[in-house]
Amino acid sequence: AGDTSNGSLHEMGACQPCAWFWKPSGCQNGKDCMRCHQCPEGELKARKKVKRTLMRLGLVTPKAQVEYPMAARGGFELPIV
């Protein structure tokens, strides 16, 4: 189950680790999963930690949040800024 069609992305460090692969229940998508199953356990957490540090240092900026699925369905109102 460690196979992925994104092997070349993993080699370049441009892959996106699967959050479910190392969980006890495993990834339910198997070979159809679009995320990387070759990354070692803890890789997702390590990348998030690096990103947080870079953001604190001002070296990267967060992506703009443009998705408001509940607002699109009328679930709540967006705050006026």
Side-chain angles (χ1 to χ4, degrees):
D3 299 345
T4 180
S5 60
N6 299 329
S8 59
L9 291 176
H10 178 77
E11 299 288 326
M12 296 184 314
C15 61
Q16 295 179 340
C18 177
W20 294 99
F21 184 71
W22 292 102
K23 305 274 184 196
S25 60
C27 178
Q28 301 298 312
N29 296 324
K31 291 184 184 254
D32 293 330
C33 185
M34 301 300 290
R35 307 293 180 160
C36 184
H37 289 179
Q38 294 178 345
C39 287
E41 187 172 10
E43 179 69 15
L44 189 61
K45 187 174 183 178
R47 289 187 187 188
K48 286 181 180 181
K49 185 176 182 179
V50 168
K51 184 177 178 182
R52 264 195 318 271
T53 301
L54 292 174
M55 286 174 61
R56 281 191 195 122
L57 295 173
L59 299 175
V60 295
T61 56
K63 289 184 179 178
Q65 290 274 330
V66 283
E67 294 185 55
Y68 298 100
M70 292 295 293
R73 292 187 297 241
F76 63 89
E77 292 183 29
L78 295 176
I80 306 296
V81 180

